[in-house]
Amino acid sequence: MSAADPAREVLAVKYGHRVTTRAEMYLNFHIYGEPDADLDIDYYFWVIRDSGGVILVDTGFAPESGARRRRQSRTTPAEALPGLGIDPDDVTAIVITHGHWDHIGNVRQFPRAQLVLTEAEYAFWTSPLAEREHFAAHREPDEIALLARARMEDRVTLFTGRCGLAPGIELTEVGGHTPGQLIASVTTRDGGTVVLASDALHFYEEVERDRPFAILADLPAMYRAYDTLAQLATQPGTRLVAGHDPLVRTRFTGYGTAGRTGAASEVEVTDLTSPRTW
Ligand SMILES: [Zn+2]
């Protein structure tokens, strides 16, 4: 990848949280012979800001589809970005890591942004297979329809394999969790690389203990994605950012708050360009 933009920041915005269980989150948890336990799950979207503009990686879930699933959201990107000094109109592109409801729910807030996702992901969610219950549970039809409309408006870039989105921002298709799940590798100002794994790695434990996540499209591909991420993590200066793990907020440095503030509604922002511990 090319050199880092010296002004580049990569931020994780935590917009939601819930308590679930290990048995619900890990595939066939019973095979590990461990007692079940509560598990905290965070919900994030990510912001890449540099001299070239602002790119969002995913958009979180829409408050109404969250409410239907009894998930509380604290903010949406359009609400939170001004708190980071970003005008939502300045978002030029949205990387869609995959088509699940908790990642594409607020794409509609950015009617002019270019959308970038894999061909396999787009093809799957617009196919009849996506109607089958185990897939349909994780998608919102109107949000998929919005992607199709954006494509007719020529706002969608589809790719297979790898896509160099901008200097130092590379997208890689890994599949597994969904048919065309992607990860984003972003070179940072210190010369390191932040790998936004999104749902190729919900929790660090998936890679660190080789435990697949419960929701998946292709188990061999999911294992290969873990191998890809583990390999990337051995590169000097490369840091993995799990997609739903509260550990992100302790492994990296806090950036402050954005959007609504105060008590339970506080939105936490983490600076992924500054690791605290690793
Ligand atoms: Zn997902």
Side-chain angles (χ1 to χ4, degrees):
M1 282 192 294
S2 23
D5 183 322
R8 179 171 289 156
E9 287 179 324
V10 188
L11 306 174
V13 181
K14 176 189 161 189
Y15 71 92
H17 169 260
R18 87 181 161 111
V19 180
T20 176
T21 64
R22 296 175 69 76
E24 198 183 335
M25 292 291 103
Y26 288 101
L27 182 66
N28 296 324
F29 183 72
H30 61 89
I31 69 176
Y32 305 120
E34 296 172 7
D36 195 9
D38 283 351
L39 186 64
D40 288 295
I41 179 164
D42 280 356
Y43 292 83
Y44 301 95
F45 59 86
W46 301 273
V47 178
I48 304 168
R49 166 165 54 182
D50 61 26
S51 54
V54 179
I55 295 171
L56 275 189
V57 178
D58 293 337
T59 64
F61 59 72
E64 58 275 18
S65 47
R68 216 180 314 124
R69 292 171 170 86
R70 296 198 182 81
R71 314 272 207 279
Q72 268 201 336
S73 63
R74 299 171 183 180
T75 193
T76 65
E79 289 173 335
L81 291 176
L84 295 166
I86 295 169
D87 181 339
D89 284 345
D90 290 343
V91 173
T92 53
I94 300 174
V95 174
I96 293 175
T97 66
H98 64 302
H100 280 168
W101 69 284
D102 57 325
H103 293 258
I104 66 167
N106 296 302
V107 170
R108 63 188 167 176
Q109 294 181 329
F110 304 91
R112 285 185 297 282
Q114 284 292 319
L115 310 178
V116 185
L117 68 160
T118 66
E119 173 90 44
E121 192 70 7
Y122 182 86
F124 178 80
W125 291 107
T126 51
S127 77
L129 256 185
E131 306 300 319
R132 307 293 273 271
E133 192 170 6
H134 280 262
F135 293 117
H138 308 296
R139 69 92 171 88
E140 290 289 329
D142 59 328
E143 294 169 1
I144 302 300
L146 187 148
L147 296 186
R149 271 203 309 283
R151 192 167 181 226
M152 289 198 292
E153 295 165 2
D154 224 10
R155 288 202 294 126
V156 177
T157 300
L158 301 178
F159 74 94
T160 298
R162 279 170 196 271
C163 170
L165 184 60
I169 304 178
E170 186 170 271
L171 312 179
T172 305
E173 176 177 12
V174 294
H177 174 59
T178 59
Q181 169 80 46
L182 68 79
I183 62 174
S185 298
V186 185
T187 309
T188 60
R189 59 187 169 227
D190 62 0
T193 301
V194 166
V195 177
L196 300 176
S198 180
D199 287 8
L201 180 69
H202 291 69
F203 299 104
Y204 287 107
E205 192 172 335
E206 291 162 51
V207 157
E208 291 170 0
R209 299 182 73 187
D210 205 26
R211 292 187 166 187
F213 189 73
I215 299 164
L216 76 168
D218 180 337
L219 184 56
M222 186 177 254
Y223 272 128
R224 283 193 294 270
Y226 293 153
D227 289 346
T228 297
L229 291 166
Q231 172 62 31
L232 285 171
T234 66
Q235 309 291 314
T238 298
R239 300 176 288 265
L240 300 183
V241 181
H244 287 272
D245 199 328
L247 283 174
V248 167
R249 292 179 290 113
T250 55
R251 291 186 176 188
F252 295 88
T253 307
Y255 189 83
T257 58
R260 297 174 195 161
T261 53
S265 64
E266 194 164 276
V267 175
E268 285 177 66
V269 183
T270 302
D271 181 1
L272 303 173
T273 46
S274 307
R276 178 183 290 155
T277 56
W278 200 256

PDB file of all heavy atoms in Angstrom, residues 1-3 5 8-10 48-50 53-55 57 95 163-172 183-187 194 196:
ATOM      1  N   MET A   1       0.835  -1.197   0.000  1.00  0.00           N
ATOM      2  CA  MET A   1       0.000   0.000   0.000  1.00  0.00           C
ATOM      3  C   MET A   1       0.868   1.245   0.000  1.00  0.00           C
ATOM      4  O   MET A   1       1.984   1.225   0.481  1.00  0.00           O
ATOM      5  CB  MET A   1      -0.909   0.012   1.232  1.00  0.00           C
ATOM      6  CG  MET A   1      -2.099  -0.917   1.071  1.00  0.00           C
ATOM      7  SD  MET A   1      -3.336  -0.650   2.323  1.00  0.00           S
ATOM      8  CE  MET A   1      -2.449  -1.173   3.779  1.00  0.00           C
ATOM      9  N   SER A   2       0.330   2.316  -0.505  1.00  0.00           N
ATOM     10  CA  SER A   2       1.128   3.531  -0.576  1.00  0.00           C
ATOM     11  C   SER A   2       1.200   4.224   0.773  1.00  0.00           C
ATOM     12  O   SER A   2       0.570   3.826   1.736  1.00  0.00           O
ATOM     13  CB  SER A   2       0.553   4.483  -1.621  1.00  0.00           C
ATOM     14  OG  SER A   2      -0.791   4.221  -1.855  1.00  0.00           O
ATOM     15  N   ALA A   3       1.985   5.282   0.792  1.00  0.00           N
ATOM     16  CA  ALA A   3       2.294   5.954   2.049  1.00  0.00           C
ATOM     17  C   ALA A   3       1.046   6.519   2.710  1.00  0.00           C
ATOM     18  O   ALA A   3       0.050   6.808   2.057  1.00  0.00           O
ATOM     19  CB  ALA A   3       3.275   7.081   1.777  1.00  0.00           C
ATOM     20  N   ASP A   5      -1.386   9.048   4.545  1.00  0.00           N
ATOM     21  CA  ASP A   5      -1.738  10.456   4.591  1.00  0.00           C
ATOM     22  C   ASP A   5      -1.444  10.932   6.017  1.00  0.00           C
ATOM     23  O   ASP A   5      -1.957  10.368   6.977  1.00  0.00           O
ATOM     24  CB  ASP A   5      -3.234  10.577   4.277  1.00  0.00           C
ATOM     25  CG  ASP A   5      -3.704  12.010   4.221  1.00  0.00           C
ATOM     26  OD1 ASP A   5      -3.224  12.816   5.029  1.00  0.00           O
ATOM     27  OD2 ASP A   5      -4.560  12.298   3.380  1.00  0.00           O
ATOM     28  N   ARG A   8      -4.296  11.474   8.423  1.00  0.00           N
ATOM     29  CA  ARG A   8      -5.357  10.459   8.488  1.00  0.00           C
ATOM     30  C   ARG A   8      -5.682  10.021   9.917  1.00  0.00           C
ATOM     31  O   ARG A   8      -4.788   9.701  10.696  1.00  0.00           O
ATOM     32  CB  ARG A   8      -4.953   9.236   7.651  1.00  0.00           C
ATOM     33  CG  ARG A   8      -5.991   8.123   7.690  1.00  0.00           C
ATOM     34  CD  ARG A   8      -5.668   7.047   6.686  1.00  0.00           C
ATOM     35  NE  ARG A   8      -5.904   7.522   5.332  1.00  0.00           N
ATOM     36  CZ  ARG A   8      -5.308   7.018   4.253  1.00  0.00           C
ATOM     37  NH1 ARG A   8      -4.442   6.050   4.375  1.00  0.00           N
ATOM     38  NH2 ARG A   8      -5.598   7.480   3.067  1.00  0.00           N
ATOM     39  N   GLU A   9      -6.957   9.993  10.203  1.00  0.00           N
ATOM     40  CA  GLU A   9      -7.458   9.442  11.460  1.00  0.00           C
ATOM     41  C   GLU A   9      -8.410   8.292  11.137  1.00  0.00           C
ATOM     42  O   GLU A   9      -9.158   8.376  10.161  1.00  0.00           O
ATOM     43  CB  GLU A   9      -8.289  10.483  12.224  1.00  0.00           C
ATOM     44  CG  GLU A   9      -7.504  11.590  12.855  1.00  0.00           C
ATOM     45  CD  GLU A   9      -8.430  12.560  13.566  1.00  0.00           C
ATOM     46  OE1 GLU A   9      -9.549  12.801  13.075  1.00  0.00           O
ATOM     47  OE2 GLU A   9      -8.023  13.074  14.604  1.00  0.00           O
ATOM     48  N   VAL A  10      -8.367   7.273  11.981  1.00  0.00           N
ATOM     49  CA  VAL A  10      -9.329   6.182  11.851  1.00  0.00           C
ATOM     50  C   VAL A  10     -10.011   6.040  13.211  1.00  0.00           C
ATOM     51  O   VAL A  10      -9.342   5.834  14.229  1.00  0.00           O
ATOM     52  CB  VAL A  10      -8.654   4.852  11.456  1.00  0.00           C
ATOM     53  CG1 VAL A  10      -9.712   3.797  11.136  1.00  0.00           C
ATOM     54  CG2 VAL A  10      -7.721   5.045  10.265  1.00  0.00           C
ATOM     55  N   ILE A  48     -12.985   7.101   8.518  1.00  0.00           N
ATOM     56  CA  ILE A  48     -11.624   7.378   8.038  1.00  0.00           C
ATOM     57  C   ILE A  48     -11.631   8.820   7.546  1.00  0.00           C
ATOM     58  O   ILE A  48     -12.347   9.159   6.606  1.00  0.00           O
ATOM     59  CB  ILE A  48     -11.216   6.440   6.880  1.00  0.00           C
ATOM     60  CG1 ILE A  48     -11.362   4.971   7.293  1.00  0.00           C
ATOM     61  CG2 ILE A  48      -9.782   6.744   6.428  1.00  0.00           C
ATOM     62  CD1 ILE A  48     -11.250   3.988   6.122  1.00  0.00           C
ATOM     63  N   ARG A  49     -10.879   9.651   8.234  1.00  0.00           N
ATOM     64  CA  ARG A  49     -10.835  11.071   7.869  1.00  0.00           C
ATOM     65  C   ARG A  49      -9.403  11.440   7.504  1.00  0.00           C
ATOM     66  O   ARG A  49      -8.474  11.176   8.276  1.00  0.00           O
ATOM     67  CB  ARG A  49     -11.300  11.926   9.054  1.00  0.00           C
ATOM     68  CG  ARG A  49     -10.978  13.401   8.884  1.00  0.00           C
ATOM     69  CD  ARG A  49     -11.724  14.300   9.823  1.00  0.00           C
ATOM     70  NE  ARG A  49     -11.595  13.977  11.232  1.00  0.00           N
ATOM     71  CZ  ARG A  49     -12.221  14.651  12.202  1.00  0.00           C
ATOM     72  NH1 ARG A  49     -13.017  15.648  11.896  1.00  0.00           N
ATOM     73  NH2 ARG A  49     -12.068  14.308  13.459  1.00  0.00           N
ATOM     74  N   ASP A  50      -9.205  12.044   6.349  1.00  0.00           N
ATOM     75  CA  ASP A  50      -7.875  12.516   5.968  1.00  0.00           C
ATOM     76  C   ASP A  50      -8.018  13.701   5.032  1.00  0.00           C
ATOM     77  O   ASP A  50      -9.133  14.220   4.848  1.00  0.00           O
ATOM     78  CB  ASP A  50      -7.030  11.372   5.371  1.00  0.00           C
ATOM     79  CG  ASP A  50      -7.635  10.784   4.105  1.00  0.00           C
ATOM     80  OD1 ASP A  50      -8.380  11.499   3.405  1.00  0.00           O
ATOM     81  OD2 ASP A  50      -7.360   9.608   3.810  1.00  0.00           O
ATOM     82  N   GLY A  53     -10.752  13.667   2.427  1.00  0.00           N
ATOM     83  CA  GLY A  53     -12.177  13.706   2.752  1.00  0.00           C
ATOM     84  C   GLY A  53     -12.525  12.722   3.849  1.00  0.00           C
ATOM     85  O   GLY A  53     -11.667  12.345   4.658  1.00  0.00           O
ATOM     86  N   VAL A  54     -13.780  12.308   3.867  1.00  0.00           N
ATOM     87  CA  VAL A  54     -14.271  11.414   4.919  1.00  0.00           C
ATOM     88  C   VAL A  54     -14.915  10.190   4.265  1.00  0.00           C
ATOM     89  O   VAL A  54     -15.757  10.312   3.368  1.00  0.00           O
ATOM     90  CB  VAL A  54     -15.314  12.120   5.813  1.00  0.00           C
ATOM     91  CG1 VAL A  54     -15.828  11.164   6.892  1.00  0.00           C
ATOM     92  CG2 VAL A  54     -14.720  13.370   6.445  1.00  0.00           C
ATOM     93  N   ILE A  55     -14.468   9.030   4.721  1.00  0.00           N
ATOM     94  CA  ILE A  55     -15.055   7.765   4.274  1.00  0.00           C
ATOM     95  C   ILE A  55     -15.642   7.080   5.498  1.00  0.00           C
ATOM     96  O   ILE A  55     -14.987   7.000   6.547  1.00  0.00           O
ATOM     97  CB  ILE A  55     -13.982   6.865   3.615  1.00  0.00           C
ATOM     98  CG1 ILE A  55     -13.459   7.521   2.326  1.00  0.00           C
ATOM     99  CG2 ILE A  55     -14.540   5.473   3.329  1.00  0.00           C
ATOM    100  CD1 ILE A  55     -12.245   6.813   1.727  1.00  0.00           C
ATOM    101  N   VAL A  57     -17.029   3.565   7.144  1.00  0.00           N
ATOM    102  CA  VAL A  57     -17.046   2.119   6.975  1.00  0.00           C
ATOM    103  C   VAL A  57     -18.244   1.618   7.765  1.00  0.00           C
ATOM    104  O   VAL A  57     -18.262   1.677   8.999  1.00  0.00           O
ATOM    105  CB  VAL A  57     -15.730   1.476   7.453  1.00  0.00           C
ATOM    106  CG1 VAL A  57     -15.806  -0.043   7.308  1.00  0.00           C
ATOM    107  CG2 VAL A  57     -14.542   2.030   6.658  1.00  0.00           C
ATOM    108  N   VAL A  95     -17.951   2.460   2.702  1.00  0.00           N
ATOM    109  CA  VAL A  95     -17.571   1.066   2.495  1.00  0.00           C
ATOM    110  C   VAL A  95     -18.607   0.212   3.211  1.00  0.00           C
ATOM    111  O   VAL A  95     -18.861   0.412   4.407  1.00  0.00           O
ATOM    112  CB  VAL A  95     -16.166   0.786   3.075  1.00  0.00           C
ATOM    113  CG1 VAL A  95     -15.845  -0.708   2.993  1.00  0.00           C
ATOM    114  CG2 VAL A  95     -15.115   1.608   2.349  1.00  0.00           C
ATOM    115  N   CYS A 163      -9.675  -4.251  -3.694  1.00  0.00           N
ATOM    116  CA  CYS A 163     -10.030  -2.948  -4.257  1.00  0.00           C
ATOM    117  C   CYS A 163      -9.197  -1.879  -3.553  1.00  0.00           C
ATOM    118  O   CYS A 163      -9.252  -1.747  -2.328  1.00  0.00           O
ATOM    119  CB  CYS A 163     -11.520  -2.685  -4.036  1.00  0.00           C
ATOM    120  SG  CYS A 163     -12.058  -1.005  -4.424  1.00  0.00           S
ATOM    121  N   GLY A 164      -8.390  -1.165  -4.315  1.00  0.00           N
ATOM    122  CA  GLY A 164      -7.661  -0.026  -3.757  1.00  0.00           C
ATOM    123  C   GLY A 164      -8.575   1.181  -3.790  1.00  0.00           C
ATOM    124  O   GLY A 164      -8.798   1.781  -4.829  1.00  0.00           O
ATOM    125  N   LEU A 165      -9.134   1.504  -2.636  1.00  0.00           N
ATOM    126  CA  LEU A 165     -10.165   2.546  -2.594  1.00  0.00           C
ATOM    127  C   LEU A 165      -9.553   3.939  -2.704  1.00  0.00           C
ATOM    128  O   LEU A 165     -10.124   4.837  -3.323  1.00  0.00           O
ATOM    129  CB  LEU A 165     -10.950   2.409  -1.289  1.00  0.00           C
ATOM    130  CG  LEU A 165     -12.134   3.331  -1.083  1.00  0.00           C
ATOM    131  CD1 LEU A 165     -13.185   3.125  -2.177  1.00  0.00           C
ATOM    132  CD2 LEU A 165     -12.754   3.097   0.292  1.00  0.00           C
ATOM    133  N   ALA A 166      -8.394   4.111  -2.070  1.00  0.00           N
ATOM    134  CA  ALA A 166      -7.670   5.382  -2.081  1.00  0.00           C
ATOM    135  C   ALA A 166      -6.251   5.030  -1.676  1.00  0.00           C
ATOM    136  O   ALA A 166      -6.009   3.911  -1.198  1.00  0.00           O
ATOM    137  CB  ALA A 166      -8.297   6.361  -1.085  1.00  0.00           C
ATOM    138  N   PRO A 167      -5.288   5.952  -1.848  1.00  0.00           N
ATOM    139  CA  PRO A 167      -3.931   5.624  -1.410  1.00  0.00           C
ATOM    140  C   PRO A 167      -3.919   5.201   0.067  1.00  0.00           C
ATOM    141  O   PRO A 167      -4.406   5.926   0.932  1.00  0.00           O
ATOM    142  CB  PRO A 167      -3.172   6.942  -1.622  1.00  0.00           C
ATOM    143  CG  PRO A 167      -3.924   7.618  -2.725  1.00  0.00           C
ATOM    144  CD  PRO A 167      -5.372   7.274  -2.494  1.00  0.00           C
ATOM    145  N   GLY A 168      -3.431   3.992   0.330  1.00  0.00           N
ATOM    146  CA  GLY A 168      -3.359   3.522   1.709  1.00  0.00           C
ATOM    147  C   GLY A 168      -4.665   2.984   2.271  1.00  0.00           C
ATOM    148  O   GLY A 168      -4.758   2.707   3.466  1.00  0.00           O
ATOM    149  N   ILE A 169      -5.672   2.813   1.435  1.00  0.00           N
ATOM    150  CA  ILE A 169      -6.931   2.207   1.908  1.00  0.00           C
ATOM    151  C   ILE A 169      -7.273   1.063   0.952  1.00  0.00           C
ATOM    152  O   ILE A 169      -7.611   1.290  -0.207  1.00  0.00           O
ATOM    153  CB  ILE A 169      -8.097   3.211   1.945  1.00  0.00           C
ATOM    154  CG1 ILE A 169      -7.740   4.414   2.813  1.00  0.00           C
ATOM    155  CG2 ILE A 169      -9.369   2.523   2.474  1.00  0.00           C
ATOM    156  CD1 ILE A 169      -8.824   5.488   2.862  1.00  0.00           C
ATOM    157  N   GLU A 170      -7.114  -0.158   1.447  1.00  0.00           N
ATOM    158  CA  GLU A 170      -7.338  -1.322   0.602  1.00  0.00           C
ATOM    159  C   GLU A 170      -8.421  -2.220   1.195  1.00  0.00           C
ATOM    160  O   GLU A 170      -8.411  -2.512   2.392  1.00  0.00           O
ATOM    161  CB  GLU A 170      -6.042  -2.124   0.461  1.00  0.00           C
ATOM    162  CG  GLU A 170      -6.175  -3.262  -0.524  1.00  0.00           C
ATOM    163  CD  GLU A 170      -4.837  -3.896  -0.847  1.00  0.00           C
ATOM    164  OE1 GLU A 170      -4.182  -3.417  -1.789  1.00  0.00           O
ATOM    165  OE2 GLU A 170      -4.466  -4.840  -0.148  1.00  0.00           O
ATOM    166  N   LEU A 171      -9.344  -2.637   0.343  1.00  0.00           N
ATOM    167  CA  LEU A 171     -10.429  -3.525   0.759  1.00  0.00           C
ATOM    168  C   LEU A 171     -10.128  -4.934   0.258  1.00  0.00           C
ATOM    169  O   LEU A 171      -9.677  -5.103  -0.874  1.00  0.00           O
ATOM    170  CB  LEU A 171     -11.766  -3.038   0.179  1.00  0.00           C
ATOM    171  CG  LEU A 171     -12.066  -1.546   0.359  1.00  0.00           C
ATOM    172  CD1 LEU A 171     -13.404  -1.195  -0.286  1.00  0.00           C
ATOM    173  CD2 LEU A 171     -12.055  -1.162   1.835  1.00  0.00           C
ATOM    174  N   THR A 172     -10.378  -5.923   1.095  1.00  0.00           N
ATOM    175  CA  THR A 172     -10.125  -7.320   0.721  1.00  0.00           C
ATOM    176  C   THR A 172     -11.352  -8.158   1.034  1.00  0.00           C
ATOM    177  O   THR A 172     -11.860  -8.155   2.158  1.00  0.00           O
ATOM    178  CB  THR A 172      -8.924  -7.889   1.512  1.00  0.00           C
ATOM    179  OG1 THR A 172      -7.794  -7.032   1.314  1.00  0.00           O
ATOM    180  CG2 THR A 172      -8.582  -9.290   1.056  1.00  0.00           C
ATOM    181  N   ILE A 183     -12.864  -6.892   4.500  1.00  0.00           N
ATOM    182  CA  ILE A 183     -12.121  -6.196   5.543  1.00  0.00           C
ATOM    183  C   ILE A 183     -11.418  -4.996   4.896  1.00  0.00           C
ATOM    184  O   ILE A 183     -11.175  -5.001   3.690  1.00  0.00           O
ATOM    185  CB  ILE A 183     -11.096  -7.111   6.250  1.00  0.00           C
ATOM    186  CG1 ILE A 183     -10.045  -7.626   5.255  1.00  0.00           C
ATOM    187  CG2 ILE A 183     -11.797  -8.281   6.932  1.00  0.00           C
ATOM    188  CD1 ILE A 183      -8.901  -8.424   5.910  1.00  0.00           C
ATOM    189  N   ALA A 184     -11.109  -3.975   5.705  1.00  0.00           N
ATOM    190  CA  ALA A 184     -10.458  -2.771   5.182  1.00  0.00           C
ATOM    191  C   ALA A 184      -9.121  -2.579   5.890  1.00  0.00           C
ATOM    192  O   ALA A 184      -9.067  -2.548   7.120  1.00  0.00           O
ATOM    193  CB  ALA A 184     -11.341  -1.549   5.400  1.00  0.00           C
ATOM    194  N   SER A 185      -8.036  -2.468   5.118  1.00  0.00           N
ATOM    195  CA  SER A 185      -6.707  -2.186   5.674  1.00  0.00           C
ATOM    196  C   SER A 185      -6.375  -0.726   5.394  1.00  0.00           C
ATOM    197  O   SER A 185      -6.397  -0.288   4.242  1.00  0.00           O
ATOM    198  CB  SER A 185      -5.649  -3.078   5.019  1.00  0.00           C
ATOM    199  OG  SER A 185      -5.936  -4.437   5.282  1.00  0.00           O
ATOM    200  N   VAL A 186      -6.070   0.002   6.462  1.00  0.00           N
ATOM    201  CA  VAL A 186      -5.872   1.441   6.339  1.00  0.00           C
ATOM    202  C   VAL A 186      -4.502   1.797   6.906  1.00  0.00           C
ATOM    203  O   VAL A 186      -4.222   1.560   8.082  1.00  0.00           O
ATOM    204  CB  VAL A 186      -6.964   2.213   7.111  1.00  0.00           C
ATOM    205  CG1 VAL A 186      -6.822   3.716   6.863  1.00  0.00           C
ATOM    206  CG2 VAL A 186      -8.356   1.730   6.726  1.00  0.00           C
ATOM    207  N   THR A 187      -3.651   2.373   6.045  1.00  0.00           N
ATOM    208  CA  THR A 187      -2.345   2.834   6.508  1.00  0.00           C
ATOM    209  C   THR A 187      -2.546   4.116   7.314  1.00  0.00           C
ATOM    210  O   THR A 187      -3.296   4.998   6.901  1.00  0.00           O
ATOM    211  CB  THR A 187      -1.421   3.113   5.313  1.00  0.00           C
ATOM    212  OG1 THR A 187      -1.437   1.976   4.459  1.00  0.00           O
ATOM    213  CG2 THR A 187       0.001   3.358   5.759  1.00  0.00           C
ATOM    214  N   VAL A 194      -4.086  -0.192  10.244  1.00  0.00           N
ATOM    215  CA  VAL A 194      -5.256  -0.584  11.021  1.00  0.00           C
ATOM    216  C   VAL A 194      -6.113  -1.464  10.122  1.00  0.00           C
ATOM    217  O   VAL A 194      -6.435  -1.078   8.996  1.00  0.00           O
ATOM    218  CB  VAL A 194      -6.041   0.675  11.457  1.00  0.00           C
ATOM    219  CG1 VAL A 194      -7.428   0.298  11.960  1.00  0.00           C
ATOM    220  CG2 VAL A 194      -5.275   1.431  12.526  1.00  0.00           C
ATOM    221  N   LEU A 196      -9.600  -2.920   9.740  1.00  0.00           N
ATOM    222  CA  LEU A 196     -10.987  -2.917  10.193  1.00  0.00           C
ATOM    223  C   LEU A 196     -11.603  -4.236   9.734  1.00  0.00           C
ATOM    224  O   LEU A 196     -11.930  -4.408   8.564  1.00  0.00           O
ATOM    225  CB  LEU A 196     -11.742  -1.721   9.605  1.00  0.00           C
ATOM    226  CG  LEU A 196     -11.190  -0.339   9.959  1.00  0.00           C
ATOM    227  CD1 LEU A 196     -11.981   0.759   9.229  1.00  0.00           C
ATOM    228  CD2 LEU A 196     -11.244  -0.104  11.465  1.00  0.00           C
TER     229      LEU A 196
END
